[in-house]
Amino acid sequence: MRRLAVLLLAALPLLGARPVLAETVAEARKVERFDLRAERTGLDHRVFLVHPTEPPPPGGYPVVYLLDGNATLPMAEKARGPNPPTPLGAAVLVGVGYPTDKPFDVPRRYRDLTPLTPPELIPPSREGGDAIRTGGRDDFLAFLQEQVKPAVESRLPIDRKRQTLFGHSLGGLFALYVLYTQPALFQTYVAADPAIWWSGQAILKEQAAFLEKAAREGLPAGTALLVETSGKMVERSLSDAETAKVRRLRAGPTGREVADTLSAVPGLRLAFRAFPDESHGSMIPLSVADALPFAFGKAP
């Protein structure tokens, strides 16, 4: 069969990651790429859809949705390898990204993955240029639910009882937001180094409401969450004043504390893993690799 060249990142300078070399996946898997315009915002997104080589199970294919799909989908394909066993081999991978050749569209992800954030709580950007826009997470969630999922399901038979959402950093924050507010949208959530600190730790208010509701009503059957954190800080090219602001904004609870708090939630399959020797960026491929088996009931 035709070989499928899967390009991983040459580097992740924005997130401090180690270089990752291009790899080749031996067994050809059809990769479909298409753009969708979000109905609420009029903004274009790029969707990367990997078709399994195996026939669908009776209930349809399990599916893993990966945010920042330009970067994370190639990582997931590398982690899955050429001849993965079932059920991983029969999983649909969906990268939700942007119409760019870059691994990340930094301005767009700020908008899509965050609540409306006061300017004083937004960290200084190394990108320069226009001010960071925030507050688009509900529009983006509606786009996932109302446009991306139907587009995938129109192309392949999907098991709606086996859906996973992966996000890193602000994407991890977004994954927690979806779990806390609409847990039935996916069954498995993976929050890699979630930016708990964002907007004055506003996510903790949604977490408190989630804990109260879960204690009162329980969770949808099979709900699972994997939280992972990094351990090394990366030097940033900022002034002393900017560095002080970043340190102040980033203080407070991390994914570890969130996992500790959620450990008491009944009915939640919870796992936590720390990468003490990895940075915020270098952990991404490791977390993507952990997300795949976790989606099918295995501990990382």
Side-chain angles (χ1 to χ4, degrees):
M1 298 176 69
R2 184 180 59 189
R3 290 179 179 268
L4 170 65
V6 178
L7 178 64
L8 294 182
L9 308 183
L12 292 175
L14 292 174
L15 297 175
R18 296 190 303 254
V20 182
L21 300 179
E23 299 287 346
T24 300
V25 176
E27 291 295 323
R29 286 189 281 262
K30 177 183 175 183
V31 179
E32 187 178 354
R33 186 179 77 172
F34 55 92
D35 290 351
L36 287 176
R37 178 159 295 171
E39 293 174 355
R40 290 195 180 190
T41 65
L43 298 174
D44 291 331
H45 299 258
R46 182 155 294 163
V47 179
F48 305 86
L49 173 61
V50 183
H51 294 239
T53 56
E54 298 185 19
Y61 289 115
V63 59
V64 180
Y65 290 91
L66 301 120
L67 305 182
D68 292 314
N70 302 63
T72 56
L73 183 76
M75 294 176 184
E77 270 293 78
K78 183 197 175 189
R80 181 156 66 167
N83 298 297
T86 301
L88 184 55
V92 172
L93 301 184
V94 181
V96 184
Y98 301 99
T100 177
D101 292 331
K102 296 180 180 180
F104 297 95
D105 187 326
V106 176
R108 287 286 303 278
R109 72 190 304 272
Y110 272 123
R111 184 197 186 283
D112 286 343
L113 302 175
T114 61
L116 189 62
T117 305
E120 65 271 17
L121 296 181
I122 297 176
S125 172
R126 287 179 292 179
E127 299 294 288
D130 297 335
I132 292 173
R133 297 183 61 190
T134 64
R137 67 180 180 183
D138 289 322
D139 289 337
F140 183 63
L141 179 54
F143 170 70
L144 287 179
Q145 183 66 7
E146 299 169 7
Q147 294 184 247
V148 177
K149 283 188 175 185
V152 171
E153 292 171 4
S154 71
R155 289 165 168 82
L156 291 167
I158 297 298
D159 185 348
R160 293 184 180 180
K161 296 181 180 179
R162 292 195 293 172
Q163 301 181 100
T164 297
L165 178 64
F166 171 90
H168 167 264
S169 190
L170 290 177
L173 180 70
F174 179 84
L176 289 177
Y177 173 67
V178 179
L179 170 64
Y180 291 164
T181 59
Q182 299 191 57
L185 293 187
F186 300 87
Q187 289 67 53
T188 302
Y189 297 83
V190 181
D193 238 4
I196 306 300
W197 56 270
W198 185 268
S199 194
Q201 305 166 23
I203 190 67
L204 297 183
K205 295 179 181 178
E206 282 122 3
Q207 178 176 287
F210 167 76
L211 291 170
E212 181 181 344
K213 185 175 181 179
R216 185 177 66 250
E217 302 177 8
L219 291 176
T223 303
L225 170 66
L226 170 61
V227 180
E228 298 193 333
T229 60
S230 61
K232 285 188 174 181
M233 297 295 294
V234 175
E235 293 295 326
R236 295 164 58 92
S237 301
L238 300 172
S239 68
D240 290 345
E242 289 173 330
T243 299
K245 180 178 181 179
V246 168
R247 288 177 178 173
R248 175 175 57 81
L249 292 178
R250 290 177 179 265
T254 67
R256 180 183 295 274
E257 286 75 28
V258 166
D260 287 343
T261 299
L262 297 179
S263 63
V265 176
L268 176 65
R269 179 169 69 91
L270 177 69
F272 173 78
R273 184 177 186 183
F275 293 104
D277 296 325
E278 301 294 338
S279 70
H280 187 60
S282 69
M283 73 175 287
I284 303 175
L286 304 178
S287 291
V288 169
D290 282 350
L292 299 180
F294 185 76
F296 301 102
K298 295 183 179 180

